[in-house]
């Protein structure tokens, strides 16, 4: 009963020990990476793969000191699908780690597949797939896809100058979807209040009645 109870923990410890041993063989402090290719590899594929791997290496932090190595990535036998297989691309990848003296530490080969129609988009997708495969195998930071070119600074405005671009003019004008406020009928019929001048009370009190002149038509009584 006790032996059957201990079998599961012992098996888990054995698997953990094997994974640690396998990880110790590939886990290195990679400082530099160089990517090259044969005649079947485009220059854009080599460039984008190198950019992504360099970014991943710069972002990787090892918790403990590890042997410092250099990584050589060789791309070859790139196959681009045609016809019904258009967009299905693949490449052979060889990764070699070398120490400071240039001696080989380890080497690994694998095939990477990707799917994306179009020459430029296909190269970008394949470069991303290759970089992710290498990053997972050698415990690097997650891969960030290569973005487009740098933003041009031609459209930057100088301080103190007004923008005369169509977007700025459109921003200054009221939008069509802005609500229109319609005054109510009561607001339209309200008349402004005008203050009447106050009567001079003191003047009216001091005023004396005019003398009465009796006539045949008027009586003073």
């Amino acid at each position: 009963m006790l032996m059957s109870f201990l079998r599961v923990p012992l098996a888990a410890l054995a698997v953990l020990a094997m994974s640690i041993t396998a990880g110790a063989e590939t886990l290195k402090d990679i400082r530099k990476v160089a990517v090259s290719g044969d005649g079947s590899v485009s220059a854009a594929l080599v460039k984008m793969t190198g950019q992504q791997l360099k970014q991943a290496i710069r972002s990787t932090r090892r918790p403990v000191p590890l042997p410092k190595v250099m990584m050589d990535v060789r791309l070859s036998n790139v196959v681009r699908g045609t016809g019904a297989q258009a967009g299905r691309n693949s490449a052979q990848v060889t990764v070699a780690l070398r120490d400071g003296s240039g001696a080989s530490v380890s080497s690994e080969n694998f095939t990477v597949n990707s799917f994306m129609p179009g020459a430029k988009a296909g190269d970008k997708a394949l470069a991303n797939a290759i970089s992710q495969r290498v990053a997972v195998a050698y415990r690097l930071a997650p891969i960030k896809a290569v973005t487009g070119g740098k933003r041009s600074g031609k459209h930057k405005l100088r301080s103190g100058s007004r923008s005369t671009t169509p977007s700025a003019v459109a921003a200054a004008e009221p939008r069509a979807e802005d609500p229109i406020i319609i005054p109510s009928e009561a607001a339209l019929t309200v008349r402004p209040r005008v203050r009447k001048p106050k009567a001079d009370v003191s003047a009216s009190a001091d005023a004396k009645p005019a003398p009465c002149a009796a006539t045949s038509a008027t009586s003073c009584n």
Side-chain angles (χ1 to χ4, degrees), residues 28-198:
K28 300 291 189 298
D29 187 5
I30 302 173
R31 290 301 183 92
K32 294 182 180 180
V33 60
V35 181
S36 59
D38 62 4
S40 65
V41 184
S42 65
L45 179 59
V46 173
K47 181 180 179 180
M48 287 186 290
T49 303
Q51 288 177 348
Q52 296 186 43
L53 287 177
K54 288 176 182 178
Q55 179 63 35
I57 289 172
R58 285 194 296 265
S59 303
T60 301
R61 298 292 182 269
R62 302 302 191 192
V64 294
L66 295 171
K68 296 178 178 60
V69 295
M70 296 178 58
M71 175 182 285
D72 289 332
V73 180
R74 177 72 176 175
L75 309 180
S76 60
N77 299 328
V78 172
V79 178
R80 302 183 184 277
T82 58
Q85 300 296 322
R88 299 183 181 275
N89 307 316
S90 65
Q92 296 291 327
V93 182
T94 302
V95 181
L97 299 182
R98 305 182 186 279
D99 58 14
S101 63
S104 177
V105 175
S106 64
S107 180
E108 185 176 0
N109 300 315
F110 40 82
T111 302
V112 176
N113 301 305
S114 68
F115 177 82
M116 182 61 67
K120 293 183 179 179
D123 282 343
K124 185 178 294 186
L126 188 57
N128 189 45
I130 294 171
S131 303
Q132 288 184 354
R133 179 67 177 85
V134 174
V136 170
Y138 292 91
R139 315 286 181 87
L140 300 177
I143 293 296
K144 295 182 180 180
V146 175
T147 57
K150 297 182 179 180
R151 293 183 179 180
S152 174
K154 295 181 179 180
H155 300 289
K156 293 183 179 179
L157 299 178
R158 296 180 181 178
S159 58
S161 62
R162 293 185 177 181
S163 173
T164 56
T165 59
S167 59
V169 176
E173 296 179 354
R175 296 177 299 176
E177 61 270 15
D178 288 341
I180 301 175
I181 301 174
I182 302 176
S184 62
E185 184 178 356
L188 293 175
T189 56
V190 171
R191 295 181 179 179
R193 294 182 179 180
V194 180
R195 288 187 177 182
K196 296 181 179 180
K198 293 182 179 180

